[in-house]
Amino acid sequence: MKKKRIGIIGAGPSGLAQIRAFEALKNQGEEIPEIVCFEKQSNWGGMWNYSWRTGVGKYGEPIHGSMYKYLWSNGPKECLEFSDYSFDDHFKKPISSYPPRPVLFDYIQGRIKKSEARDFIRFDTTARWVSFDEKTKKFTVILDDLKIDKTYSEEFDYLVVASGHFSTPNMPYFKGIENFPGTAIHAHDFRGADQFKGQNILLIGSSYSAEDIGVQCHKHGANSVTLSYRSNPIGVAWPEGIKELPLVTHFEEDTAYFKDGTSEKFDAVIMCTGYQHKFPFLPDELRLKTKNNLYPDHLYKGVFFNNLPQLIYLGMQDQYYTFNMFDAQAWVARDYMIGRFKLPSEAKRRIDIDKWLKKNDKLETGFDDVDFQSDYIKDLLSLSDYPAFDVDKVGEMFKQWLRDKEEGILTYRDKTFQSVVTGTMAAEHHTEWMDELDDSKERYLYEPEEEELIPDKL
Ligand code: FAD
Ligand code: NAP
Ligand code: MG
């Protein structure tokens, strides 16, 4: 019999989890289907593959990356650890709980570098359009080989969409902003705090991007940081130099006016207003239509498109859990694709989805969110042989993280946690986070001799 063909769109942490899931099977001596993963960038890692570019890339494709210089993990690494490849496996020594981006990028790659994963991936290749044939039950994917500027198509039995959802900005309009004389950008195009040194900056939004970009700019020398919220302020104990105001009503030149009647002049505006789930390569009937939330509708077990479960979406939820959630999803998706995990009828799947949606509607606090996503992970873990881990303990760590941030938004990254995979207690970083201006892997992993001062630059 001809091997089934599986197409994967995107080689970020989700797409790589799918490849890894099949490799795990291969390592058990089983035959695996034919897998082709398409990645529009020249390297894997998705968001973690830092791009200095904004706007469009070398080949005119929209830039995917939204990460920036000096980005450090915003949650404890113990909450995202792969349960089949620990931090100890990779770094061979305890490291701190909040590593910078290059260190996490290194970790993601470590698990697959030694394998044949790269052979499955066609880089510099954009998925342009997808269609599904009801008769043959196959997907046709139209692809652009960007390097040689050539379009071609391929057929697949299953299609895994792992293209991420923190890339296309949600960019609101505020009256008068077109006459704002300074920089006015979305967080997607923010590439580091350097250019905002000495400036008074205004961030619109009150979620992770606003919080982190605000704190980064403060740390790297902005004169003042003002956050403007629509629904609720972040409400942590802000240090001097950072404050929160209600929503901007309009701009007049460099002055922003706020709902509470106050006004202030700014040098730059950064819209930290979130992202759109955007799948320009999918037709209406296959496209997931959702906002950023913990349980997008129409996805059975958070992954199988209910109208057509041969279409699988990974990582489409808002994320407390990340790498380990993508793994747990990818293992279940794999088992369905090889016939090991059977789906119930569409109606039964609908009932299951509705059960989760109802639960999701009742969430009020951050703690509720954590419990909800923990329950979701437990459900997934019960369905495959992805190595189980102590989800309750990870949930507790997330809650501690939320408390730590409230108490010390500039110091929470100095805290340490214990791995549920190995039991290892994280090390303290050699330098306090607020004093650490270098996010390179070399400096992070540097071990000073006792009493030795670490050079400022390595
Ligand atoms: P992505 O990482 O977005 O990867 C998707 C891939 O699909 C990309 O490589 C892209 O090029 C490719 N692609 C897209 N469209 C196409 C196409 N048409 N054809 C071919 N390829 C395509 N998570 C954490 O755990 N800790 C953090 O500290 C953290 N910080 C973050 C900071 C920022 C600013 C952002 C935006 C996110 C952060 N995240 C963090 C969450 C992050 O989204 C996940 O960690 C993870 O990267 C999601 O993986 P993914 O594979 O689902 O998507
Ligand atoms: P998000 O969590 O979806 O939040 C979007 C924010 O924009 C909300 O505060 C929302 O306010 C606000 N907003 C939307 N439309 C608005 C409008 N018209 N006017 C005013 N405010 C508006 O998006 P995000 O903060 O960009 O986070 C995305 C992901 O990136 C998260 O997974 C996060 O973990 C990750 N991230 C990580 C780091 C890190 O440090 N490692 C840094 C940045 C981002 P309402 O509450 O009113 O809806
Ligand atoms: Mg299990």
Side-chain angles (χ1 to χ4, degrees), residues 84 97 166 179 193 421 439 458:
D84 71 339
S97 282
F166 293 129
N179 296 321
V421 179
D439 64 352
L458 280 171

Side-chain angles (χ1 to χ4, degrees), residues 10 12-14 39-41 46-48 64 73-74 80 127 164 166 322:
S14 294
E39 171 52 60
K40 72 177 196 179
Q41 303 187 63
M47 277 296 152
W48 298 91
H64 186 80
S73 177
N74 67 342
L80 55 73
F166 293 129
T322 53

Side-chain angles (χ1 to χ4, degrees), residues 48 67-68 71-75 166 170 172-174 186-187 204-210 212-213 216 228-232 247 272-275 292 318-319 412-413:
W48 298 91
M67 285 201 181
Y68 37 88
L71 182 139
W72 292 66
S73 177
N74 67 342
F166 293 129
N170 169 47
Y173 172 72
F174 292 91
H186 188 272
I204 301 179
S206 57
S207 185
Y208 297 103
S209 291
D212 195 56
I213 293 175
Q216 299 285 348
S228 166
Y229 61 88
R230 178 172 65 180
S231 311
N232 298 302
L247 194 58
C272 302
T273 42
Y275 294 89
N292 190 27
D318 196 8
Q319 295 157 10
Y412 78 92
R413 285 183 168 106

Side-chain angles (χ1 to χ4, degrees), residues 427-439:
E428 278 183 28
H429 187 46
H430 49 62
T431 306
E432 282 183 6
W433 183 76
M434 267 306 276
D435 296 328
E436 182 59 285
L437 300 179
D438 182 342
D439 64 352

